[in-house]
Amino acid sequence: MIKSELLSSLSFIGHGFFNKNDSKDLENPITLKQIHSPEVVVLNHSPEKEEMFEADGLVTSEKGLCLTIKTADCAPVLFADPDARIIGAAHAGWKGALGGILERTLLTMIKEGAHLSSIRAAIGPCLQKKSFIVKEDMKNLFPISDSRFFTEENREIHFDFESYVISRLLASGIRSEHLSASGVDTYSSKDYLSYRREPENPAREYSAIWIK
């Protein structure tokens, strides 16, 4: 498990980007049925076991609710506003990021009382540029303005996914000093699960944040 120094400086929260081995150690994770959407759920209580929300973002201001994102190459993004004491978590695959899950999570936090200028955002381990090889048809789904995130190397198209997520957050108003990224590649690091490396493996690892 690794932590963001940015979020670790906030005493009111706990958090972690858990790897494939220690995800099982996380206590009482609240997860979603993730569907690569811009849907966000606001939690004000611990959901019942049969309550499984179809969404890709979670927001709360309640203590003890462990907002948990499941990934295996997608980007887990954890948010915290230390002034309003509101937290959020988003599952950002490339489809979800393109579709607005990051912006929707921020907007939901703001509706709940957070202030954009105070929100910290930390991006966990995800598929990095060197490992993110795509086809032309995927690249064509993005606007021309995003072409800078695609480069051709050895006749292969590489997508700088982490930089793309960073750019969406900065464009949304997150201050650069309030933003961090792990830089860890889930494909090349065997400590992490990777759908690209093992597409037959249904397991996912956890990234979580909670208010103490």
Side-chain angles (χ1 to χ4, degrees):
M1 186 263 286
I2 62 173
K3 291 187 176 184
S4 157
E5 288 187 13
L6 180 71
L7 296 184
S8 293
S9 67
L10 306 180
S11 60
F12 82 104
I13 63 165
H15 82 285
F17 297 103
F18 296 79
N19 62 38
K20 68 179 183 181
N21 297 314
D22 56 23
S23 286
K24 63 182 180 297
D25 298 330
L26 182 63
E27 295 183 8
N28 303 316
I30 298 173
T31 61
L32 296 163
K33 182 179 180 181
Q34 297 170 182
I35 53 175
H36 296 277
S37 73
E39 298 303 314
V40 178
V41 174
V42 177
L43 287 179
N44 52 28
H45 67 281
S46 184
E48 301 295 332
K49 288 185 178 179
E50 64 270 14
E51 271 188 288
M52 179 60 76
F53 301 103
E54 291 191 2
D56 289 87
L58 286 163
V59 168
T60 193
S61 58
E62 298 294 323
K63 290 183 179 180
L65 299 183
C66 187
L67 309 187
T68 306
I69 296 301
K70 301 175 293 183
T71 57
D73 283 339
C74 294
V77 186
L78 304 179
F79 301 90
D81 180 342
D83 297 330
R85 291 182 174 253
I86 293 172
I87 60 172
H91 162 247
W94 71 263
K95 289 182 181 178
L98 181 61
I101 183 57
L102 300 169
E103 293 84 351
R104 183 74 68 85
T105 304
L106 287 169
L107 284 172
T108 303
M109 290 179 69
I110 291 167
K111 286 181 180 178
E112 292 299 304
H115 304 282
L116 185 59
S117 61
S118 300
I119 296 175
R120 275 66 162 171
I123 305 165
C126 62
L127 199 62
Q128 299 289 320
K129 178 182 177 180
K130 62 183 178 181
S131 304
F132 207 149
I133 301 169
V134 303
K135 301 293 185 182
E136 192 76 31
D137 56 351
M138 176 196 153
K139 178 183 176 182
N140 291 338
L141 295 174
F142 289 73
I144 296 297
S145 59
D146 288 335
S147 60
R148 67 188 186 278
F149 299 108
F150 296 87
T151 56
E152 189 168 327
E153 302 173 20
N154 299 320
R155 297 184 179 180
E156 295 175 334
I157 301 173
H158 289 252
F159 178 43
D160 194 346
F161 178 45
E162 187 177 78
S163 291
Y164 177 70
V165 172
I166 290 171
S167 76
R168 298 284 300 219
L169 291 168
L170 291 173
S172 297
I174 295 293
R175 294 161 59 178
S176 58
E177 65 268 29
H178 289 170
L179 177 59
S180 70
S182 75
V184 174
D185 184 19
T186 48
Y187 182 88
S188 60
S189 174
K190 297 302 174 64
D191 289 333
Y192 292 90
L193 295 166
S194 171
Y195 178 79
R196 289 220 168 193
R197 191 178 64 240
E198 301 176 275
E200 73 287 349
N201 188 350
R204 297 293 181 265
E205 55 213 358
Y206 290 164
S207 296
I209 186 168
W210 59 92
I211 299 175
K212 295 177 182 178

